[in-house]
Amino acid sequence: MAAAPAAETLNGFVNPPTDAETLTLYEPSTASAIEVNDHIINHPLAVKLRREKAMTESRPHLKIPVAMRPHNLTGGTLLGEGKIEVPPLTFQDTASELPELVQLSYVGPALCGHPGIVHGGLLATLLDEGLARACFPALPNKVGVTASLKIDYRVPCPAGSYIVLKAQTTKVEGRKAWVKGWIELLGDDEGEGTKLVEAEALFIEPKGAKHMARVYSTQ
């Protein structure tokens, strides 16, 4: 019996769900999650991005094997009621030489540093992961690790906010990719909201990347 979870995890790495399949894997189980999920998937920005042929829609965290999610920071520990309420909804241009990404999320009151203000470390974590995911399609083996991450905080993020992470790959040289991005408040329409924090990062594909397990497949 003990081998069953290990086999399930291995199968999850070898045969991850497709981007389209991840959109069917999440079912909100609380009234608050239903409300947040409906707001995100039906928001004018999501509707606009869904119409763009170059953009692929997915929920990347749902590619993590179920048995591994309790051990994954953003796909398990920080996900749930009062935190990152629902799995972030992601739109990504994976075919471009300089890929871009837009991700819609909700951050709840359990993620605060100062009362009522989302912890800056949480925003840094989201940027680190989001900027990395943006550039992965441009790397030879579609995976990389953070070499540097520079963050500038502009405005505090109120708890209980819908936010948008936007990332743009700016340069790729072999196993290196440079990315810039920011997090802004999600407005009422598809326009830009108040910019909360900006970042620039360098990601490097490890030399043994060809043989690494893919937690987030870009396929």
Side-chain angles (χ1 to χ4, degrees), residues 72-158:
N72 185 276
L73 184 61
T74 53
T77 306
L78 295 175
L79 189 64
E81 189 170 6
K83 299 182 283 186
I84 301 174
E85 191 84 21
V86 303
L89 185 65
T90 301
F91 296 87
Q92 187 167 14
D93 175 8
T94 60
S96 172
E97 290 185 5
L98 297 174
E100 299 185 0
L101 174 148
V102 180
Q103 185 172 84
L104 286 70
S105 307
Y106 176 87
V107 287
L111 299 173
C112 292
H114 296 286
I117 298 175
V118 173
H119 197 296
L122 183 277
L123 300 179
T125 298
L126 296 179
L127 283 164
D128 182 31
E129 186 176 278
L131 269 60
R133 186 178 291 116
C135 73
F136 280 4
L139 293 173
N141 290 288
K142 318 303 181 189
V143 66
V145 295
T146 310
S148 68
L149 177 65
K150 177 182 179 293
I151 296 179
D152 292 312
Y153 293 93
R154 302 301 185 194
V155 178
C157 178

Side-chain angles (χ1 to χ4, degrees), residues 26-40 80-82 85-86 106 162:
Y26 175 69
E27 293 187 8
S29 58
T30 67
S32 60
I34 291 171
E35 179 182 352
V36 168
N37 194 58
D38 286 348
H39 186 81
I40 287 176
E81 189 170 6
E85 191 84 21
V86 303
Y106 176 87
Y162 292 93

Side-chain angles (χ1 to χ4, degrees), residues 43-58:
H43 190 276
L45 178 59
V47 173
K48 172 181 177 290
L49 293 169
R50 201 171 283 131
R51 292 196 189 110
E52 296 184 11
K53 293 183 179 180
M55 287 292 190
T56 298
E57 182 179 5
S58 70

